[in-house]
Every structure is written in structure tokens, then in C-alpha cells.
Amino acid sequence: MNKFIRNIIAFSLKNKAFTFFWVGLLAVAGFISFKNMPIDAFPDVTNTQIIIITQWNGKSAEEVERFVTSPIEISMNSVQKKTSVRSITMFGLSVIKIIFDDGVDDTFARLQVNNLLKNVSLPDDVEPDVQPPYGPTGEIFRYIVKSDSRDSRELLTYQNWVIDKQLRSVPGVADLNVFGGQTKTYEVGVDPIKLAKYNITPLQVYNAVNGGNLNVGGDIIEKNGQAFVVRGVGLLKSIQDLENIIVDDAKGNPILVKNLATVYESAMPRVGQTGLAKNDDVVEGIIVMRKGENP
């Protein structure tokens, strides 16, 4: 062993230029490898997987399994390079997870799943949603939205329309999950006595409100060499707009929503709540990192 080391040293001393060359080459290669080496505190070694979530509100687990989960599972059986297809069906919810072989690219897997989903026959009001590409170690940041002067309904509205858009534009962010808060809505509380007075049903009020919140495109009027676009603007922007929707008419006099009901700002029924420390009603956000990114 000593003789071998002495021979290496003697060779290096006799061939200084060659020795400096390969030592420098190794140093450059080592530096490049170090710069390109992905270093994760918790490396994601899981296989590529695609998750399909489908909601069908108000339906039992048996109906969701029969009309949603089973057709999607049967369609996904033809996906190439998969190892398994697993599913969970609950009340109004179907979750299907497709796990692929080692080394399968996420783009390849996602393209196959999206192409096959187009041919699945599902109920009219059901739309499957393919989840963004993230792994089990993708949760990288949690935050709380709080204010001394705003309630959880206003904070959730600010989160959904301002904070959400800004965070999703950050490179490497796959998804943003929000918990807590109240979803802002506008409710129309009809008065049965007034409905009976005008002989109007609640369904007529619903159809009027549903049909009154849209813009209508018209034709083009040409005059003096100019073209004028005709369209009807009917999108609702305030409670007053909602109150002034025409439901019916009585001898030529319009019957408005405000003549039959009270319109007020409210919130969707809550199915959960998030608290922190002494505050039992906060808005929490969880940022999920895209698979393959380095935090």
C-alpha cells in the first residue's frame, strides 16, 4: 500500500501539468454537482400519483359510488404504467387516487388521466377535479388571517379574492387550502303573506333572481359609417340591484323583489370552524408546494 501511494506521488511530481489539469477538472465538476444537487430537509421519495376529487352534493355514498366512483375507476383501468387505483366514497364526495410506477413523469401521467376523464359518462351536474401535483411532504407554510375590526366573513372574502391570487402566483406553489371563516352570500328572505297577496310562488322569485343576473349580447347598429354594439347589462353589483329585479306585474305595475322579500348579506351554513389560542373563529391558510420543487 505504501509503495502504491509513493508511486502516485512520484507520478504527480513528474507530471505536474497533467496533475493540475485533472485536479482542476475534478474541482469544477464537484462545484457544478454541488450547485445542481437537490437538497431537501424531507426528501419526497413517493411515486407519482394523481388524485381525482368529485363532489355530488346531497347524494348518499351508495349513489356516489355507483354513478361517479365506479365509472371513473373503470375508465382509469386503461392508464399506462400505473401500479394501483384506489378510491374512497363518502356522502357527496368521491376521491380516487392513481399511483404510477417509479420514474413516471407527472406530465405524462396527468395527460393520460385528463384525456380519459373526457370520455367518462357522469351525471349532468358533476365535474371531476384533478388535483395539483404535490406529494405527502408538500405542506410548507401555514398562516392566519386576523383583524381587530373585521369578522371572519370579511377576512375569508379578503383571503379568497386578494391573498389567494397573490400566493398562487408564487413559483412552486401547487395549491392553497383554506379553513375557517364564513362564506359571504346574499340571501332573499321571502314573506309568505306578501307572496299570497300577489299570488306569487317562491319558485317564481327564484327564477326571476336567477335569470336577472346576466348580461345579454345584442346585434350591431350601423349609422353614419360607425358600428354601435347593442347589449343589455344586467349583472348584479349591490343589494339594491337585487331588490329591483322584476318578478311579475300586476295590471301593468311591476312587482319587484323588495315588494316580496327582504334582501340581506349573510353566510353559507358552516360545517366547521378554526380557532387559534383564545380566538375561536379565525381564517387559516395552508400553502402546498408543487412536487419536485425545493423549498
Side-chain angles (χ1 to χ4, degrees):
M1 187 66 183
N2 292 336
K3 184 178 179 181
F4 177 73
I5 296 176
R6 285 197 299 268
N7 290 336
I8 293 178
I9 295 175
F11 177 81
S12 301
L13 292 175
K14 292 179 181 179
N15 303 275
K16 297 179 181 179
F18 177 75
T19 302
F20 279 114
F21 173 76
W22 67 261
V23 169
L25 187 63
L26 287 178
V28 172
F31 178 78
I32 295 175
S33 300
F34 174 77
K35 294 292 291 183
N36 295 329
M37 181 184 300
I39 301 175
D40 290 337
F42 301 97
D44 186 2
V45 295
T46 58
N47 294 20
T48 296
Q49 59 183 18
I50 304 296
I51 301 176
I52 305 172
I53 296 180
T54 309
Q55 296 186 26
W56 197 13
N57 297 328
K59 302 300 181 180
S60 66
E62 181 181 0
E63 291 177 294
V64 176
E65 175 73 24
R66 180 178 180 182
F67 295 105
V68 177
T69 304
S70 294
I72 295 178
E73 279 188 324
I74 294 173
S75 177
M76 293 301 112
N77 284 333
S78 59
V79 172
Q80 301 299 312
K81 298 183 179 180
K82 71 178 185 305
T83 58
S84 62
V85 179
R86 305 171 184 173
S87 66
I88 300 175
T89 303
M90 295 175 283
F91 179 80
L93 181 67
S94 169
V95 180
I96 299 176
K97 182 183 293 186
I98 307 168
I99 303 176
F100 291 82
D101 294 330
D102 290 335
V104 174
D105 184 65
D106 181 81
T107 304
F108 170 79
R110 193 167 296 271
L111 182 62
Q112 287 193 86
V113 172
N114 287 328
N115 288 338
L116 292 174
L117 273 179
K118 298 176 182 178
N119 301 323
V120 180
S121 178
L122 297 173
D124 294 336
D125 55 343
V126 174
E127 287 291 338
D129 183 25
V130 180
Q131 296 299 291
Y134 58 84
T137 60
E139 182 181 320
I140 57 174
F141 188 74
R142 291 192 177 204
Y143 63 91
I144 297 293
V145 183
K146 59 181 181 179
S147 172
D148 296 331
S149 59
R150 302 177 185 272
D151 59 12
S152 62
R153 183 170 57 193
E154 292 180 281
L155 293 178
L156 182 59
T157 303
Y158 186 79
Q159 156 66 38
N160 292 338
W161 292 96
V162 180
I163 299 177
D164 186 278
K165 296 180 180 179
Q166 297 296 325
L167 291 178
R168 288 184 186 274
S169 64
V170 177
V173 173
D175 199 7
L176 183 61
N177 300 317
V178 180
F179 300 92
Q182 306 175 65
T183 303
K184 180 179 178 181
T185 60
Y186 292 96
E187 292 190 3
V188 179
V190 296
D191 188 338
I193 297 178
K194 293 181 179 179
L195 291 178
K197 175 183 177 181
Y198 292 102
N199 194 26
I200 293 177
T201 64
L203 181 59
Q204 288 178 272
V205 179
Y206 171 80
N207 291 334
V209 173
N210 190 45
N213 186 27
L214 76 165
N215 290 339
V216 179
D219 206 340
I220 297 177
I221 298 178
E222 296 185 3
K223 186 177 182 180
N224 298 329
Q226 293 182 331
F228 298 89
V229 179
V230 179
R231 68 190 187 103
V233 180
L235 288 180
L236 303 177
K237 298 182 180 180
S238 64
I239 292 180
Q240 289 72 27
D241 292 343
L242 221 166
E243 291 176 333
N244 292 325
I245 293 177
I246 299 176
V247 179
D248 203 349
D249 69 276
K251 298 180 180 179
N253 297 317
I255 302 175
L256 308 180
V257 170
K258 63 183 177 182
N259 302 134
L260 305 169
T262 302
V263 182
Y264 51 91
E265 187 178 300
S266 183
M268 295 285 289
R270 305 185 69 167
V271 295
Q273 192 166 326
T274 303
L276 176 67
K278 296 182 179 181
N279 191 348
D280 61 354
D281 192 10
V282 299
V283 177
E284 178 191 20
I286 301 178
I287 300 177
V288 181
M289 181 184 67
R290 186 177 296 273
K291 186 177 179 66
E293 295 288 340
N294 191 342

